[in-house]
Amino acid sequence: MQVHDDETMKWSAKVFDIDTGEVLLEHSVDRVLNTASVGKIFLLHTVLDQVDRGERVLEEQITRRPSEIIDNSGLWYLLQADTLSVYDICTLIGAVSDNAATNTLCRVVGLDAVQQHTERLGYRDSGLDDIVRWPMQPGQSPTLSHGSARELADFVARIARGETLTSSSIDVFTRWLGAGMDCSMVASAFNVDPLSHYYYDPEVWLWNKTGTIGCARADIGVAMSQTRRVAYAVLANWRRGDDRRDEALAQMRAVGEGVRRHLLE
């Protein structure tokens, strides 16, 4: 199980057994890379932290603004409903990395609040940098989010161990990410149904969050068998304009195959 840097592609990766601590893969774990939509996990976590503190309810109704509607990633831009509950907005983010939902929720929660919460969790090399913008203008953040494999693998492992949120909020968080439909990267090796894999399908139970842009792929999550749990964060960036997507996906699948062997051996 390994990934390879070269002149135009760089990796940060960490994979480990949550319960034994056995490290299955480490590669430039402190390298900070562009993680595209992965940083949306910190927005979801902030919402649930506010719920745990009694500052917000998931039933709250939120109305999107026209300026917040971004297409491509997501479904809300195709839906007629302009108003959804906080819970449903978060579900769209977890399931399809919804850009419109992200922008609307960021307005309500506050990007500053998300960034401060991320720092309180102890993460300095990972975070959500901005809302989703297109087209980009000068002076705006060049990245939606950034992160290192060490911090992102730690984040998902803490969730799996029942840390950082109440048990009920952890159940909600993992259910949101368990609905994630992008199984094209590390998770491609698990052969799960991309539309239904929250529980064993047939041997691996997966929840994850991915990030995709033209020069990056990122996949973080937890994969479980009946006896083992693995946390992983595998991040790849390459030079803008190069076509390295297929190579990155092949290496990510190879990592996933190693994870699957460990889970099922």
Side-chain angles (χ1 to χ4, degrees), residues 17 22 24 225 227-228 258-265:
D17 187 297
E22 179 185 357
L24 306 177
S225 67
T227 57
R228 291 180 171 179
V259 171
R260 188 171 185 271
R261 285 193 296 272
H262 176 80
L263 289 174
L264 302 179
E265 66 183 14

Side-chain angles (χ1 to χ4, degrees), residues 38-238:
V38 164
K40 295 173 183 177
I41 58 171
F42 296 115
L43 174 59
L44 299 180
H45 196 280
T46 301
V47 169
L48 290 173
D49 180 72
Q50 292 177 347
V51 170
D52 287 345
R53 295 174 185 274
E55 299 169 358
R56 187 173 303 281
V57 295
L58 294 175
E59 293 75 20
E60 178 184 0
Q61 299 291 303
I62 305 297
T63 300
R64 66 186 178 187
R65 296 173 178 172
S67 61
E68 293 162 348
I69 299 174
I70 304 289
D71 60 7
N72 291 324
S73 181
L75 287 174
W76 200 5
Y77 75 97
L78 292 170
L79 303 182
Q80 291 182 320
D82 288 319
T83 300
L84 296 174
S85 69
V86 170
Y87 184 96
D88 289 346
I89 290 170
C90 291
T91 300
L92 285 172
I93 296 171
V96 292
S97 199
D98 198 287
N99 288 335
T102 298
N103 289 354
T104 300
L105 193 60
C106 267
R107 167 174 54 85
V108 173
V109 174
L111 183 60
D112 288 347
V114 176
Q115 293 171 343
Q116 291 165 10
H117 177 66
T118 304
E119 290 185 2
R120 285 195 297 271
L121 289 171
Y123 302 122
R124 301 292 182 268
D125 294 328
S126 305
L128 184 65
D129 302 327
D130 202 356
I131 63 172
V132 184
R133 302 180 189 271
W134 189 257
M136 300 291 294
Q137 298 180 20
Q140 295 173 343
S141 173
T143 57
L144 175 60
S145 75
H146 66 283
S148 70
R150 184 190 301 277
E151 290 191 345
L152 293 171
D154 177 77
F155 175 85
V156 296
R158 290 168 74 185
I159 292 290
R161 290 194 292 258
E163 302 169 8
T164 73
L165 294 169
T166 63
S167 60
S168 59
S169 286
I170 285 174
D171 286 344
V172 171
F173 183 89
T174 57
R175 194 65 188 88
W176 286 338
L177 268 62
M181 297 180 186
D182 185 2
C183 298
S184 65
M185 304 181 208
V186 175
S188 66
F190 306 147
N191 297 324
V192 297
D193 181 345
L195 302 182
S196 180
H197 52 260
Y198 193 74
Y199 200 56
Y200 300 107
D201 176 38
E203 301 169 306
V204 175
W205 182 342
L206 169 73
W207 54 266
N208 72 321
K209 182 72 188 77
T210 61
T212 299
I213 54 174
C215 60
R217 290 293 187 275
D219 189 356
I220 74 169
V222 169
M224 297 170 280
S225 67
Q226 297 280 358
T227 57
R228 291 180 171 179
R229 302 186 296 175
V230 169
Y232 69 84
V234 183
L235 322 172
N237 285 187
W238 56 90

